Amino acid sequence: MESITEAPRTVASIAGVANNDEPADIDNAILVERRRARRNEKILVWSLRVGALALFVAGWAFVSGNMIVDPMMISAPLDVARAFLAQLSDGVFWTDVTATFSGAMVGLVTGAIAGILAGVVFARVQVLHTAASPFLTLMNSLPRPALAPIFILWFGLGFGPKALVAFSVVFFVLMTSTMGVMKSIDHDIAQLTKSLGMTRTQRFFKIEIPAALPAIVGGLRLGAVYSVLGAVVSEMVGAYTGLGQRLVVVTNNFQVAETFAILIAMGLLSMVLDVSISGLQKLVTKWTR
């Protein structure tokens, strides 16, 4: 009798183990499917990127090789590649890269700090923002190439003008993004924090800052690209060193391949900054979830 009664128990226990294992198997299958989908998406993205680049280069080579457009105007992809490699082996080129990058970075850091602080202040003190709004609009509407000669007149052909032009661009980008997200915090959340008795300082650090960080870092990515643009614009107007000044020299000498090579270097410099800040954006997004 005991063996007969133990048999159903054994069967029931085995069935229970099987039933308990089924949800785990389902979860594992879902995770495997998600990984496969992400891997396929990455393959598709990189295939599209490589395909678009190959198509562009092939079209460029066809246009220049068949004289559809004068090669003196657009050069050829192979000539540009040779010119780019020649630039990389030139020590003066790296001096120019350092000059542009340092000016862009100083303008990015100082402009971001000042822009974020200004955005926070204007978002929290509406009267101050209303009073300053016409002046901010006027300053932001000034074309940056027009500011470069003034900064050069004040500070000379050195490091200062390029950093200031980069600062003037980044400041308004970060101020606008910070102020916009600080003002867009849900009214119900604001009322809930007041009903819970949270102070303004607690509400600022526990609610407003975490909610604003993703938008601020997103604005920082845009500001990074604009900082390089501002530094280059200032160098094109006047500078001793820098990629902008180098670009003006080769363009005036009708060195088209070298011109495209320098433009590629500028684009890669902006991409390095963007990739670096995008990593920070991922960390911030995980932290604020």
Side-chain angles (χ1 to χ4, degrees):
M1 292 294 293
E2 291 181 357
S3 60
I4 296 174
T5 55
E6 287 177 359
R9 293 176 184 173
T10 304
V11 173
S13 62
I14 293 173
V17 171
N19 290 333
N20 290 334
D21 288 343
E22 286 180 1
D25 293 338
I26 294 173
D27 291 341
N28 290 332
I30 293 174
L31 289 175
V32 170
E33 185 63 29
R34 287 179 178 176
R35 292 194 190 101
R36 186 184 296 113
R38 284 196 295 266
R39 184 173 62 251
N40 293 337
E41 183 180 0
K42 287 183 179 179
I43 293 173
L44 178 60
V45 167
W46 280 103
S47 299
L48 291 173
R49 289 174 177 173
V50 174
L53 180 61
L55 184 63
F56 173 76
V57 173
W60 183 4
F62 177 80
V63 169
S64 61
N66 291 276
M67 300 296 179
I68 297 176
V69 178
D70 189 352
M72 288 293 294
M73 298 293 104
I74 62 171
S75 189
L78 187 58
D79 294 334
V80 173
R82 290 170 181 163
F84 183 73
L85 294 176
Q87 298 282 350
L88 295 180
S89 61
D90 185 4
V92 180
F93 170 78
W94 291 107
T95 301
D96 292 334
V97 170
T98 302
T100 301
F101 184 77
S102 59
M105 283 302 299
V106 170
L108 174 63
V109 173
T110 56
I113 293 173
I116 292 170
L117 292 176
V120 170
V121 171
F122 287 142
R124 294 175 69 89
V125 186
Q126 182 61 38
V127 175
L128 185 60
H129 175 245
T130 303
S133 181
F135 305 103
L136 293 173
T137 303
L138 176 63
M139 289 187 290
N140 193 26
S141 64
L142 295 175
R144 300 310 183 268
L147 293 177
I150 299 175
F151 293 149
I152 291 172
L153 179 65
W154 290 346
F155 302 102
L157 297 172
F159 177 81
K162 65 185 74 176
L164 284 172
V165 174
F167 172 90
S168 67
V169 178
V170 176
F171 171 81
F172 286 102
V173 172
L174 268 297
M175 184 193 70
T176 303
S177 60
T178 303
M179 187 168 53
V181 73
M182 293 286 287
K183 287 184 176 182
S184 64
I185 294 176
D186 196 340
H187 178 72
D188 293 336
I189 295 177
Q191 293 298 322
L192 178 61
T193 57
K194 291 179 180 179
S195 65
L196 292 175
M198 295 179 66
T199 64
R200 292 174 63 89
T201 303
Q202 290 175 330
R203 187 164 64 248
F204 177 73
F205 285 104
K206 294 183 178 181
I207 303 296
E208 295 176 356
I209 288 296
L213 272 179
I216 291 174
V217 178
L220 196 61
R221 289 185 65 181
L222 186 61
V225 176
Y226 284 162
S227 67
V228 176
L229 177 62
V232 169
V233 165
S234 176
E235 291 168 348
M236 292 179 70
V237 175
Y240 293 119
T241 57
L243 292 176
Q245 186 58 219
R246 193 180 188 90
L247 181 64
V248 171
V249 172
V250 297
T251 304
N252 290 340
N253 291 325
F254 298 99
Q255 296 174 285
V256 180
E258 286 75 8
T259 299
F260 281 111
I262 295 172
L263 290 175
I264 292 173
M266 293 177 184
L268 292 176
L269 184 61
S270 298
M271 285 181 63
V272 168
L273 287 174
D274 182 72
V275 170
S276 301
I277 298 175
S278 66
L280 176 63
Q281 187 176 26
K282 292 178 181 178
L283 293 176
V284 169
T285 302
K286 290 181 180 179
W287 179 70
T288 54
R289 281 180 179 176

